[in-house]
């Protein structure tokens, strides 16, 4: 990974983890807990791609495994977010542009459900049966609902920061298009560009001077 990607991803992951542990986990909402860390990994993966998404997901999940009050085996959530980050990176648009919010929202719902199922499956392998007592169906529904409601406030901002830190040429393209649109508005109704208008005025002034000089010379000859 590039240095600028690491310098952005680490603070975002740490802040997301702190907020999730100290705020979201203490809301005592029914069912699952809103997964701010998952949304942060999704936003970074959909900009940086599947390889970086897997690495960021693994690091973020490992921090969550080690951060108190974690009560599960270390590496469990790291495996989950590594897989989710890889799969979300595969959904990265080829040209870097998102035509609508439908795609990212579908990725968020799929990631929330997939992370919950994968986490419960890994837990079943290591003897953790907490998901059975809570109810897997309730966890899936609430996880998808909470993450979907939180995603519009997190994912677009994370993606924008990732593109800016990565010096994405898409920003320059948008700026150039904005300039073209502005110049089009300025020249609307005339069919001429500003530069063309100035050149036309100069040509008219020069022709007027030539015609005036010709009239003066004709008067002198008479």
């Amino acid at each position: 990974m590039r240095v600028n990607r690491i310098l952005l991803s680490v603070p975002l992951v740490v802040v997301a983890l702190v907020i999730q542990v100290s705020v979201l986990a203490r809301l005592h909402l029914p069912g699952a807990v809103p997964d701010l860390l998952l949304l942060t990994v999704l936003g970074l993966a959909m900009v940086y791609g599947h390889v970086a998404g897997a690495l960021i997901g693994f690091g973020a999940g490992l921090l969550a495994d080690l951060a108190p009050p974690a009560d599960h085996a270390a590496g469990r959530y790291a495996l989950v977010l590594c897989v989710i980050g890889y799969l979300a990176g595969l959904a990265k648009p080829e040209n870097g542009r998102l035509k609508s919010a439908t795609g990212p929202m579908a990725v968020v719902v799929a990631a929330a459900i997939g992370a919950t199922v994968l986490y419960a499956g890994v837990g079943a392998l290591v003897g953790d049966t907490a998901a059975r007592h809570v109810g897997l169906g309730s966890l899936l529904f609430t996880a998808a609902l909470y993450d979907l409601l939180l995603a519009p406030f997190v994912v677009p901002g994370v993606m924008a920061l990732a593109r800016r830190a990565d010096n994405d040429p898409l920003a320059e393209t948008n700026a150039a298009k904005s300039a073209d649109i502005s110049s089009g508005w300025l020249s609307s109704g005339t069919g001429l560009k500003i530069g063309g208008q100035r050149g036309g005025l100069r040509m008219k002034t020069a022709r007027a001077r030539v015609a005036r000089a010709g009239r003066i010379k004709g008067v002198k000859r008479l």
Side-chain angles (χ1 to χ4, degrees):
M1 287 181 60
R2 300 176 185 175
V3 177
N4 55 346
R5 292 184 176 183
I6 297 175
L7 293 177
L8 176 66
S9 301
V10 172
L12 287 178
V13 167
V14 172
V15 171
L17 180 60
V18 171
I19 294 176
Q20 181 169 328
V21 172
S22 60
V23 179
L24 298 179
R26 298 185 179 183
L27 295 178
H28 301 292
L29 297 173
V33 176
D35 201 338
L36 182 61
L37 191 62
L38 173 65
L39 297 178
T40 303
V41 172
L42 291 179
L44 294 172
M46 284 190 287
V47 175
Y48 293 153
H50 59 282
V51 176
L55 294 175
I56 295 172
F58 180 81
L62 188 60
L63 285 178
D65 289 332
L66 300 177
D71 57 354
H72 55 267
R76 180 177 172 184
Y77 202 50
L79 174 62
V80 172
L81 286 189
C82 180
V83 174
I84 296 299
Y86 179 86
L87 296 177
L90 296 177
K92 173 187 175 183
E94 295 181 359
N95 57 358
R97 299 187 183 187
L98 296 174
K99 297 181 179 180
S100 66
T102 305
M105 292 300 101
V107 172
V108 169
V109 174
I113 296 176
T116 304
V117 172
L118 187 58
Y119 185 82
V122 175
L125 293 177
V126 298
D128 184 0
T129 59
R132 297 180 181 177
H133 300 289
V134 178
L136 184 59
S138 175
L139 286 177
L140 292 176
F141 176 76
T142 53
L145 178 62
Y146 295 155
D147 290 350
L148 188 60
L149 294 176
L150 189 60
F153 304 99
V154 179
V155 177
V158 171
M159 295 180 69
L161 289 175
R163 285 188 178 127
R164 179 168 296 184
D166 208 29
N167 296 322
D168 196 333
L170 184 62
E172 298 180 1
T173 304
N174 290 336
K177 286 187 175 182
S178 298
D180 293 340
I181 293 173
S182 300
S183 62
W185 277 102
L186 290 174
S187 61
S188 63
T190 61
L192 299 173
K193 295 183 179 179
I194 295 177
Q197 292 177 351
R198 291 178 179 175
L201 291 175
R202 290 177 182 175
M203 289 296 295
K204 290 181 180 180
T205 303
R207 290 176 181 175
R209 289 178 180 175
V210 172
R212 183 178 180 184
R215 288 197 298 268
I216 292 175
K217 289 181 180 180
V219 171
K220 289 182 177 180
R221 289 177 182 178
L222 292 175

